[in-house]
Amino acid sequence: MRKTASILALVISLMLLFNTSACFANEPSGELKIGLPTLYDQTFHPIWGTLYRRQYMEPMYDYIIGVDADGKYVSEQSVAYKWERTDDLLTWTFYIRKGIKFHNGDDLTNEDVRYTLEQAATKKNNAGSQSDFMEHIAKVETMAPDKVVVSLKKPWPTFINALTALNGAEGLIQPKKYIEEKGDDYFMSHPVGSGPYKFFEWKEGVHVKFVAQDTHWRVGTPKYKYLTFQLMPEEGSRDAALRVGELDIISVGMDRSKRLKKDGFVLQEKKDGLYVGLMWIQQFQSDFPINNKKVREALVYAIDKKTIVDYILAGSGRVVGTATSMFTWAIEYKPYPHTPYDPEKAKQLLTEAGFPKGFTMYLYSFVTKLPETKLINEAIASYWEAVGVKTKLLEMDYSAFKPVWTKKAEPPGPAAFILAWPNRPVYSWRHMYASDALYSHTKDPVMDQLIGDFESETSSEGYIEGARKIMDYVLENAYATGICTTHELHAMSKDVPVWEMGKGVGSYRWEYIGK
Amino acid sequence: MGDNMSELLNVKNLKTYFFTKYGTVKAVDGVSFKVDKGETFGIVGESGCGKSITALSIMRLVPDPPGRIVGGEIVLEGEDILKISDNEMRKVRGKKISMILQDPMTSLNPVFTIGIQLEEAIKIHQGLKGRSLRERAIELLEMVQISSAAVRYKNWPHQLSGGMRQRVIGAISVSSEPRLLIADEPTTALDATIQVQFLRLLRELQEKTGVGLVFITHDFGIIARMCQRAAVMYAGRIVETGSVRDLFDNPSHPYTAALMRSLPKLEEKVERLASIEGQPPPLNDDIQGCRFAERCTVAEHQCRLSYPDETEISDGHFVSCWKF
Amino acid sequence: MQRYIVIRFIQTVITLLILSIVIFTLVRMSGDPVLLMLPETATEEDYELMKSQLGLNKPVYQQYLIFLFDAVKGDFGKSIRTRKPVILSIKETLPNSIKLVTVAFVIGFALSIPLGIVAAVKKGTVWDNMARVVTGLGQSIPTFWVGLMLLQIFVVWLRILPASGMDTWQHYVMPATCLGIFLMSGVARLLRSSMLDVLDSEFVKMARIKGVRESVVIWKHALRNSLLSVVSFGGMYIAIMVTGAILVETVFAWPGFGRLAYAAIVNQDFPLIQGVVLTAGAVVMSANFFTDILYAYLDPRIRVQV
Ligand SMILES: Nc1ncnc2c1ncn2[C@@H]1O[C@H](COP(=O)(O)OP(=O)(O)OP(=O)(O)O)[C@@H](O)[C@H]1O
Ligand SMILES: [Mg+2]
């Protein structure tokens, strides 16, 4: 009897010992489940598909240039541990870190970096900055043992930025050999990267799951063994799942976030994380009323931006005067006054432009990151109606809208759209406003000239000056208008340590949680 | 009292009302009649006068709501069946009283074979099972003169003609050898020749089983052919009862007399007995006097004030009219 | 009966063929079918390859035959967005929806049959009014909202059911109930009215005359006949369920066909739309086919010729 008891005691104490030691053991454990309203294309090729996919794709890859949470370049976090440029900004040399391996065991070499840059400069690049890369990159070469040399067609002062998490997905390094062997289609759903998390499982319409490497050159040992991104379109379901612990972090709207906070959940927001702006579709068509500057101005005057922020966004955000992201480094220092709400002036401008009875506008309505986008669209439609412009909302998904934007598919009439996009610090003027660029619906030779001047600047003062000129010109012509910024909200359980989400577009730094 | 031995059914002052949102419809309002064992008693009257509701009241199958038997007695073989429980009544149905409905096309359940529907009735009251059940069913089909009964037994109703269906219903009705069979216009929906056949069949069944028959019809010809005694109904009331001879030779109520006058020839069938001027009163009107007064050529002041009691003007010949 | 089945089968196949022709024509009419089938990132070679795959240099009837045989083989091409073969996505999601809809049907009928019967048998009473309220609510409250309520009650408050996923039977409870309620309201109302008709019929009167027990009158004589009209609307319910499934699958993050269809349409993912529409067509048509056979089985007037 006593013997049994003592054996039992021994076993129990051993178990306790084992348990505590497991707690301190230096390996990833547990699972972090993140509930998202959309997983977009559900593909994993860095540049085949929208850049918003980085929300779940990022932990699987490494950027050519790494940044910290404040957006500063950090060479210890970069695959290119060193980079140099010539004074004319035309030749850039990157030194590639040794010893990094892809998840399939292949070494990450300067060939992979070259491949990644070359791919970014093709029409296949669908991750946002296609026209920048195609405009600039002339040639990419590798030099033994670890160098990559990029020759540019014209100066590109923000080239480095374009290779980081601050800009898009182009900086994520693709495994050249693997893709060439298996093909891009296969790679899309069987991705291989070099990041701290490996691709583990994709269940279409259900979740994407990643598994941690025990140790990684950039992150060390990740806290969580599994990182799961659960697709839950309905906010109410995400809310419920968070409350019962089925999810640890959810993306959430303003309304619900307040209740969740009251109930003891932690809110983590990306301050001014989203920028909401209005743009025209095919403004260049001469038979569209919005081809007339006065009409565009009128439509901007007609919108009460402050009411939108105060009531639809519950005051969580601020009205902006710039026609593009606030953090655009070149113009950040100058507070742009915003166009005031003035419906009388709007009506007067419409009359002057020859539309006293108004006309019909179309407003594409789709939700990407901001659940309130729909309400904002409805508000704008009613403001426009109030000055006599009939407004029809075209509800669709972002993916369906995208061809309208990029391929210039014929709209049913003069149209506009609101986009809530991550408030990113650097912006490509070319690709928004140049006559022939992918995302541009402006055809204005003055604008093209300004963009050309800006791009050939080599001094940073000149660069800032050039950017300001473009911004002033855009505002003067009402080629676009900003509405506001707002905070991007996540609610999470108390057990998840708070971390810095960083400043990048769709970059969330999940792999740094608990680090 | 000595009569009681031969008395099968005694309906006394039966009242069946419908309580609708348009008021109380007095469909049957104080009906009394007797039927002797083995006798055929006819009820004749215009459409809507309450014949079917009288029959359904005897079966206690008045749709409730909105209908309800509000008064009277229905004495069957000495027992008032209005006083027994629902469950006991269920055992009376099919076993002691049975009924044949007007429309043979809809009286059989379309999704069961006639065999099943026939057996169901036998099973409930006779507790037969298996082969003997089946044999009894086929025997009954043969009894109602259905040829190749063993094959027909497996047929669904839609495979039979109207006349055959009515005979199947006849077979179902007499399957448990009831004491009383109510036939509510059983031949109205049939062709003339089939009608005659079916009436003959009913008579034969009656002879074989000695069942008392209440025969409801518009057709005086059929009354003359089938019945010993009959009652004439008008607007929820019986106005005259007597032997068929009494009714034809000495119609005493002005309504009966008018009906007889409107018959071109005794044997001829008439669809409706509406050749008298005017319309029966709506049954939800509260009429104190004689209901026929409005259409009656000899009506007096008294007729509109109160309803006349039944008077026996000769042996077994009753009339409700102030003339007597 | 056999003849009937054969005829209905041929009709079903013809309907499907017509559907395929409609889709084929729509694709050809909307400009360049090759562009519809390719992602924005496609190259010249991709374009040429797709062109020869679709047989665009051949006469139209051959193009249709190629399309038809591909469809019969289940080859609908690859999704524009995910580059995953469409047939794989369908194979993964369709069974999930079928499972869900089956359970929903069971729940829906288990609820609606007693409800419809009680409402008809106790017509005009409190019971009938209660049933009317329940079915009225079931029809007028958005499925979506019902789903959120169920989540709040069973997941957040009672904590007895999981919020999402489909691994255990517990996962089926809420989505299937939600969909079942939707179905229940329609079926119960239909059943109530046909039951009222049947209860009023002469053969029910006849059964009572025979002395048949009231419960047997209702469950044997009346129900079987009332179900006929319910079954005859079977195809409609399948169609309703498809719509309902999209909502329910969204609320409960159920990886089903409804959501695949929805995603295909909002993404304008043409190969996927094509596959989804044809599959949905086939599913609805075969459901119709089977309900017709069930109807014939229940109704000897169709099954047995005179
Ligand atoms: N469900 C009901 N609700 C209200 N009133 C009813 C109902 N059923 C019958 N009645 C009333 O009872 C009266 C008698 O009906 P009944 O069916 O007994 O007539 P009938 O003499 O059999 O006529 P027919 O020769 O046309 O069969 C009708 O005038 C009708 O107004
Ligand atoms: Mg009648």
Side-chain angles (χ1 to χ4, degrees), chain A residues 365-399:
Chain A
S365 175
F366 50 87
V367 176
T368 49
K369 303 213 126 232
L370 183 66
E372 287 82 5
T373 310
K374 237 177 114 169
L375 293 174
I376 297 178
N377 278 321
E378 279 160 15
I380 288 175
S382 66
Y383 286 133
W384 285 351
E385 296 269 351
V387 298
V389 175
K390 265 197 197 37
T391 308
K392 290 190 179 144
L393 287 177
L394 303 172
E395 300 270 355
M396 59 181 68
D397 210 64
Y398 177 65
S399 318

Side-chain angles (χ1 to χ4, degrees), chain C residues 256-297:
Chain C
F257 188 72
R259 250 173 64 200
L260 184 75
Y262 179 74
I265 289 162
V266 293
N267 286 331
Q268 298 191 347
D269 190 335
F270 215 85
L272 197 54
I273 291 178
Q274 196 171 285
V276 159
V277 170
L278 278 171
T279 312
V283 168
V284 171
M285 290 314 298
S286 39
N288 257 325
F289 174 65
F290 286 115
T291 46
D292 281 355
I293 290 176
L294 179 64
Y295 187 89
Y297 170 76

Side-chain angles (χ1 to χ4, degrees), chain B residues 73-87:
Chain B
E73 289 174 27
I74 299 171
V75 181
L76 181 76
E77 294 188 312
E79 184 184 26
D80 184 357
I81 55 169
L82 290 182
K83 293 214 170 75
I84 62 179
S85 72
D86 284 348
N87 200 36

